[in-house]
Amino acid sequence: MNYQHNFNPSISDMDVFNEIVKEKENIGYYNLVYQDTSDFKEYAKSVKQKNIVVIGIGGSTLGTYAIYKFLKHSKTLSKQLYFLETTDPIDIKSKVEAIDLKDTLFIVISKSGTTIETVSIFKYINSLVKCNQTNTLVITENDSKLNSYAKTNNIKTFEIPKDVGGRFSVFSAVGLLPLAIVGIDIDELLKGTRKIHDSFFGIDSNRDVYNRLLKKARFFVEYKNNFNINVVFSYSSRLEGFNKWYIQLWGESLGKIDINSTRQGLTPIGIIGPIDQHSFLQLIVEGKRDKTVTVIKVDDFDSNLKIPDIKLHGLEELDYLDNIKFSSLINQQADATIESINNLNDIPCDVITIDGVSERSIASLMYEYELLTSICAKFMYINAYDQPGVEAGKIILKEKLNK
């Protein structure tokens, strides 16, 4: 007797894990944790310009910005990093006017090499200053038209591997090279990713990452019809860039049609505490029960800034704030929010506490979210690495512009 089926029952954690292990053979982001960074560091040492401008959009900029935003106020960096990523003319003009273009290295990043936003901005920059081998670097696939342009003009290039998707590319040349140039320790970044990688894949004895990610992903997928919105509530303004990166990673990877032609998706929202305690928290607490909440805390802010012991007439009842560190205040605000949510007993909530403001901590967090995204995709029977939903708009735009 022959038997065929297309049933897709809920699969076991081990089956999902085995699928991820198999996927490692042709999805390149998993293995970036072990790459050699010597070429990146060698090139970084040769850069003399004080301003580094990344021209790109989406996966070409969001991850780099997330790391730079998180670290820049706690590092003594030798250079300034800027991002040109939108075709908004006001944004372009205001940023360009604030930069000394004669003392700038332009890093043009496009995996396909034909990204309209990126090429448009690069054309504009070329109208202001001559971009050549002395002030321009290209990061792209080795067979793209942008790569051909760079070779023709003797412009230095670094490769984006074909098996590394744009939104999973932050730990490739896309992110590591600009970050190395401005003075961030990219080897420490990769140590952070390796810690998560090795725990998940069982290379070390600690399987904590495996256990928590499989449990979290299974909950998200099995309860996706009840809790379709996933809120990341980051209690640090330094994580604003991470929130933006997470929204792209989650939305573009998981909003798909599965193998049964069923529309799937989990909706990402990124908010910042304590700012959004005064806005979005109201919706979480008393709104529809369709949201999970992940609170991200920073244990050590690398800051001793305190509320000063001064008297304000009429506000004496708030003198209990005197001499409290702002870092302590924001973490107690986070704890109060967590407790208020947990007391309701009907809002799924978890808490991630990263140890401090360091390369390892932000890289560990981001690599963990990359893994979580891939695991959710396996449970949902979808491809996390394509984006057919955005292709139609690109085709229409090209047709309009060609008329």
Side-chain angles (χ1 to χ4, degrees), residues 51-110:
N51 304 307
I52 311 301
V53 172
V54 173
I55 302 173
I57 194 170
S60 296
T61 58
L62 287 173
T64 311
Y65 174 74
I67 294 171
Y68 182 66
K69 169 77 173 178
F70 186 73
L71 295 173
K72 68 177 182 178
H73 295 299
S74 293
K75 299 288 180 180
T76 303
L77 301 179
S78 57
K79 304 177 190 302
Q80 292 288 323
L81 185 57
Y82 302 89
F83 299 86
L84 292 177
E85 53 189 343
T86 175
T87 51
D88 182 332
I90 303 301
D91 183 85
I92 295 171
K93 192 170 186 295
S94 63
K95 286 183 177 178
V96 167
E97 287 177 348
I99 301 168
D100 179 1
L101 299 182
K102 294 180 181 180
D103 193 17
T104 296
L105 173 71
F106 301 98
I107 305 179
V108 187
I109 306 177
S110 170

Side-chain angles (χ1 to χ4, degrees), residues 190-306:
L190 290 185
K191 286 178 182 178
T193 65
R194 281 198 295 274
K195 177 182 177 181
I196 300 301
H197 173 280
D198 292 354
S199 177
F200 179 77
F201 287 105
I203 294 172
D204 63 26
S205 59
N206 177 13
R207 299 304 301 274
D208 174 63
V209 174
Y210 171 90
N211 292 326
R212 70 170 178 261
L213 290 190
L214 266 296
K215 181 178 182 180
K216 187 172 181 175
R218 180 178 290 280
F219 182 90
F220 280 165
V221 175
E222 292 186 351
Y223 288 88
K224 64 182 183 296
N225 293 325
N226 301 92
F227 302 103
N228 184 251
I229 300 171
N230 306 129
V231 180
V232 166
F233 204 163
S234 297
Y235 269 80
S236 172
S237 297
R238 295 170 184 250
L239 289 166
E240 176 255 346
F242 168 82
N243 284 7
K244 290 182 177 180
W245 173 82
Y246 150 74
I247 288 170
Q248 186 208 15
L249 180 72
W250 205 244
E252 202 166 42
S253 299
L254 301 182
K256 301 287 173 63
I257 297 173
D258 69 13
I259 60 174
N260 290 326
S261 299
T262 302
R263 297 184 185 278
Q264 300 288 345
L266 295 167
T267 301
I269 291 177
I271 57 179
I272 296 292
I275 299 168
D276 289 306
Q277 286 182 199
H278 300 268
S279 56
F280 203 88
L281 183 58
Q282 174 63 37
L283 180 63
I284 293 172
V285 171
E286 294 196 340
K288 185 177 179 180
R289 292 303 190 253
D290 56 0
K291 292 172 280 293
T292 67
V293 180
T294 296
V295 178
I296 302 178
K297 297 175 56 182
V298 178
D299 187 42
D300 182 359
F301 277 80
D302 190 31
S303 172
N304 292 316
L305 192 67
K306 290 184 177 181

